[in-house]
């Protein structure tokens, strides 16, 4: 895996558009929410489907591509809007630096968000939905804690 650039599946941008549309119509799709964050350069709101998970009473988002646009936008803004159907909330997003906490979140991911497992397999981060395998991939992803907005 060293030196390999992780790439998004070609179908993902089209699927994301459909998910965003269904969300605007008020339809929920399992664990999927839509995260809207200001673009780091333009400030224009950028929306992407994500699947929050809860571990030990705290909520998180995992970016399989830690240098992907939405993760970089979150780092720059530190905040966003998280919507599920027609319900939305302003949130603060804090990157998790602690390796043990990232491993704990990743170990829970295949149980909490089973529909997200194929995405991580497709990226080559894991080969199956084993929690220990996900925990071992914790240093190759970005994990953000979702907190109530300070504003």
């Amino acid at each position: 895996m060293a030196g390999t650039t992780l790439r998004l599946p070609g179908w993902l941008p089209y699927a994301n558009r459909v998910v965003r549309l269904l969300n605007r119509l008020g339809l929920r799709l399992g664990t999927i929410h839509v995260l809207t964050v200001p673009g780091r350069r333009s400030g224009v709101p950028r929306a992407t489907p994500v699947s929050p998970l809860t571990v030990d009473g705290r909520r998180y988002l995992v970016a399989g591509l830690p240098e992907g646009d939405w993760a970089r936008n979150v780092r720059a803004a530190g905040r966003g809007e998280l919507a599920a159907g027609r319900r939305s909330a302003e949130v603060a997003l804090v990157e998790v630096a602690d390796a043990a906490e990232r491993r704990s979140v990743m170990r829970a991911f295949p149980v909490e968000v089973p529909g997200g497992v194929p995405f991580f397999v497709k990226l080559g981060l894991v080969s199956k939905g084993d929690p220990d395998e996900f925990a071992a991939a914790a240093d190759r992803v970005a994990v953000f804690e979702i907190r109530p907005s300070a504003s």
Side-chain angles (χ1 to χ4, degrees):
M1 179 64 72
T4 302
T5 301
L6 299 177
R7 298 179 54 108
L8 293 172
W11 51 262
L12 190 61
Y14 305 104
N16 283 350
R17 282 189 206 125
V18 170
V19 169
R20 290 191 311 259
L21 172 65
L22 294 173
N23 191 70
R24 275 195 306 272
L25 294 173
L27 301 173
R28 300 256 341 240
L29 296 171
T31 62
I32 298 174
H33 290 57
V34 173
L35 175 66
T36 303
V37 178
R40 63 191 172 282
R41 292 189 191 119
S42 67
V44 173
R46 305 290 183 186
T48 191
V50 294
S51 288
L53 66 150
T54 303
V55 178
D56 296 330
R58 294 162 66 184
R59 294 177 71 207
Y60 298 92
L61 294 175
V62 176
L65 296 174
E67 294 306 318
D69 284 333
W70 81 260
R72 292 168 57 188
N73 288 342
V74 164
R75 284 186 195 104
R79 63 179 175 79
E81 179 183 79
L82 196 58
R86 292 199 175 140
R87 292 181 172 211
S88 65
E90 292 292 323
V91 295
L93 299 157
V94 179
E95 190 160 10
V96 176
D98 181 68
E101 185 177 356
R102 281 196 318 273
R103 280 192 301 277
S104 176
V105 170
M106 286 298 287
R107 180 171 280 110
F109 188 90
V111 175
E112 294 284 318
V113 189
V117 170
F119 180 77
F120 284 84
V121 171
K122 187 85 166 163
L123 287 175
L125 290 168
V126 298
S127 63
K128 55 188 188 291
D130 178 66
D132 290 333
E133 188 180 24
F134 268 78
D139 291 335
R140 296 184 290 160
V141 301
V143 176
F144 298 94
E145 184 180 356
I146 303 167
R147 298 180 182 169
S149 178
S151 55

